[in-house]
Amino acid sequence: MLQQLSSTSPSETTIVSNDCEKAEDTAQTDDLEFPEGGLQGWSTVIGAMIFQFCSFGYTNAYAVYQDYYARIYIRNASPSAIAWIGSTNGFLVISSGVFVGMLYDRGYFYHLLYGGSFLMSFCLFMLSITQSDHFYQVFLVQGIGLGIGAGLTYVPSVAVVSHYFQKKRPLAMTLVVAGSSIGAVVHPIMLNNLLERLSFRQAVGISAGMITLLLVLACLITRPRLPPPKAKAALFPSIRRFYSEPAYTLLSIGGFMLMLGFYFPLFYFQLDVIKHGLDPRFALYAIVILNGAGVLGRIIPGFFAHSLGVLNMVVASAVGCTVFIFMMMTIKTALSVVMIAILYGFFSGAFITLQIPLIAIMTKDLSELGLRIGVCYAVSSFGTLIGPPIHGALLTNQFVWWQPEIFSGCLTSDDTNSPE
């Protein structure tokens, strides 16, 4: 026996040691008592909501920029080319979660929040001084820089909430993710009114100032409670292990398929309403109505997730998204716009907000939660990247709306299959 132990290689000893540390971390996670709130817990929820408001909430308000760039600011580029700005931004926010989640799990929480906040603030101020009809300037600052900055804060601000909640975790996480929908309501109202009255430089500069102040506040009140795990999960072995689970694999594939069509209403709805001959003033608020309904869609499911089941609600929300993308072909009156905006906004908000609680339910070891969220989101982010430009290409310069609507509706319908 001693001879066998002495013949064990250093690499095998390391593997056994890491496995023991991982088992110890898992056991500690299972034995933890969660405060289920408290002053610091709810302060962290508020701070995380602010991060979502400033990061993904700004991404979800891109319809205002898509419309303004296409009609006024970047008229020398096609709608499909302009859509690459928003889709690249969204792609980087989500896809960076693989590495950001790994860094979060290794204890780099504050580095990610502070670095991401600085980069978001810097890039928004730089966006305000870009020149009209200079596509590459806007793409570099808004598409790439702002996307990376928002991506650095996205996963940590959501995952840290799990330090304070267990029974109330779905509710707390849905409240946090609702911050992006609130941002997607406030930012379009603010930007549309500012761009109507002021120059692009002044309007975006004011927006950047507000974002900067909010990010400073969020950095001050968002705090982790648990120390990072002793065992450091290796990236690629962890990914292989995650995708050995059929449910996790199907969830990732379904997320990719849905994201190929998901952003068509979010990017093109305001332009769609204007091109259908409705009042331009009313069209400015079409995306606000959609995102406002998304606030309810992100909050209400948290109260019913425990009783109805997170998975059941995810499938139902995907069905709703599919139906109301197809219904966009019926847009003719202001009433039809309002109805589609409210119902699509609600179901899309519910789908987005339930993804993280669903991943959390599948995660036995909370020390892996950040990485699991990041990997799953990275797969779906490729749908975010290529979806809107495909929509723009199908739309063409003649604005043939039924082509991207059918494409988007068919793809979102593929996500209605249960991952069980």
Side-chain angles (χ1 to χ4, degrees):
M1 184 67 176
L2 292 174
Q3 186 177 7
Q4 288 177 340
L5 288 174
S6 64
S7 65
T8 302
S9 67
S11 61
E12 289 173 330
T13 303
T14 303
I15 292 171
V16 172
S17 175
N18 287 339
D19 288 343
C20 290
E21 288 180 351
K22 193 70 177 177
E24 181 182 349
D25 287 333
T26 304
Q28 289 176 352
T29 300
D30 293 338
D31 295 337
L32 282 176
E33 292 185 3
F34 294 84
E36 300 295 343
L39 177 61
Q40 187 56 62
W42 289 113
S43 296
T44 296
V45 169
I46 293 172
M49 287 182 67
I50 295 174
F51 277 116
Q52 295 295 308
F53 176 93
C54 296
S55 58
F56 211 53
Y58 213 88
T59 298
N60 286 341
Y62 183 73
V64 176
Y65 285 106
Q66 176 76 25
D67 174 46
Y68 188 81
Y69 291 159
R71 294 188 298 111
I72 299 172
Y73 201 64
I74 315 179
R75 288 177 293 179
N76 60 345
S78 67
S80 179
I82 292 171
W84 278 105
I85 300 171
S87 67
T88 301
N89 180 288
F91 168 75
L92 290 173
V93 172
I94 302 172
S95 66
S96 60
V98 175
F99 303 102
V100 170
M102 183 174 61
L103 291 172
Y104 166 81
D105 289 336
R106 296 188 177 192
Y108 292 95
F109 177 78
Y110 291 112
H111 303 76
L112 293 168
L113 288 194
Y114 296 166
S117 297
F118 172 79
L119 189 56
M120 279 192 285
S121 176
F122 174 76
C123 287
L124 278 175
F125 280 113
M126 292 300 295
L127 177 63
S128 69
I129 61 174
T130 56
Q131 297 172 298
S132 62
D133 292 326
H134 285 64
F135 174 85
Y136 75 94
Q137 293 181 359
V138 179
F139 179 80
L140 289 174
V141 174
Q142 187 174 14
I144 296 178
L146 189 60
I148 293 174
L152 292 176
T153 66
Y154 184 70
V155 170
S157 64
V158 176
V160 72
V161 175
S162 65
H163 287 199
Y164 296 90
F165 301 90
Q166 187 177 48
K167 293 180 181 178
K168 297 180 181 179
R169 189 176 296 156
L171 174 60
M173 285 186 166
T174 54
L175 290 174
V176 169
V177 180
S180 62
S181 279
I182 296 173
V185 172
V186 174
H187 296 311
I189 294 175
M190 181 176 180
L191 287 168
N192 274 322
N193 282 280
L194 289 174
L195 289 169
E196 186 178 357
R197 294 169 172 80
L198 303 173
S199 67
F200 181 81
R201 180 173 185 170
Q202 293 171 320
V204 178
I206 292 172
S207 177
M210 181 190 74
I211 292 293
T212 300
L213 292 175
L214 288 173
L215 288 173
V216 170
L217 173 62
C219 286
L220 293 175
I221 64 176
T222 307
R223 292 285 182 270
R225 185 178 73 94
L226 303 176
K230 296 178 182 178
K232 311 302 182 184
L235 177 59
F236 293 106
S238 295
I239 292 175
R240 285 196 298 268
R241 181 162 49 81
F242 296 164
Y243 284 102
S244 67
E245 304 170 13
Y248 187 87
T249 302
L250 289 174
L251 179 63
S252 298
I253 295 172
F256 167 75
M257 297 298 292
L258 186 131
M259 287 300 164
L260 278 173
F262 182 85
Y263 276 92
F264 173 67
L266 296 178
F267 276 36
Y268 291 95
F269 197 56
Q270 180 169 312
L271 183 61
D272 190 358
V273 174
I274 291 175
K275 290 299 182 179
H276 274 81
L278 298 177
D279 185 356
R281 289 289 301 172
F282 168 74
L284 296 180
Y285 289 93
I287 194 66
V288 174
I289 296 171
L290 188 152
N291 288 326
V295 176
L296 298 178
R298 296 190 184 216
I299 294 176
I300 292 176
F303 295 97
F304 299 97
H306 181 72
S307 58
L308 297 180
V310 174
L311 178 59
N312 294 331
M313 298 184 71
V314 167
V315 173
S317 61
V319 171
C321 290
T322 299
V323 170
F324 292 106
I325 287 178
F326 282 126
M327 290 295 292
M328 288 182 67
M329 290 187 287
T330 66
I331 287 180
K332 291 181 180 179
T333 65
L335 178 61
S336 64
V337 170
V338 171
M339 293 300 296
I340 292 171
I342 291 174
L343 293 171
Y344 182 80
F346 180 85
F347 284 110
S348 62
F351 180 85
I352 290 296
T353 200
L354 290 167
Q355 293 298 293
I356 292 177
L358 184 57
I359 297 171
I361 290 172
M362 296 178 180
T363 304
K364 296 179 181 179
D365 181 4
L366 279 182
S367 67
E368 296 179 342
L369 181 58
L371 183 56
R372 280 181 176 264
I373 294 172
V375 171
C376 186
Y377 273 31
V379 174
S380 64
S381 69
F382 285 96
T384 304
L385 175 66
I386 65 176
I390 292 174
H391 306 154
L394 292 172
L395 184 61
T396 73
N397 290 329
Q398 286 71 46
F399 299 103
V400 184
W401 291 101
W402 66 266
Q403 294 181 160
E405 287 163 355
I406 290 180
F407 172 82
S408 301
C410 290
L411 286 169
T412 55
S413 67
D414 288 339
D415 196 62
T416 59
N417 296 315
S418 170
E420 280 190 336

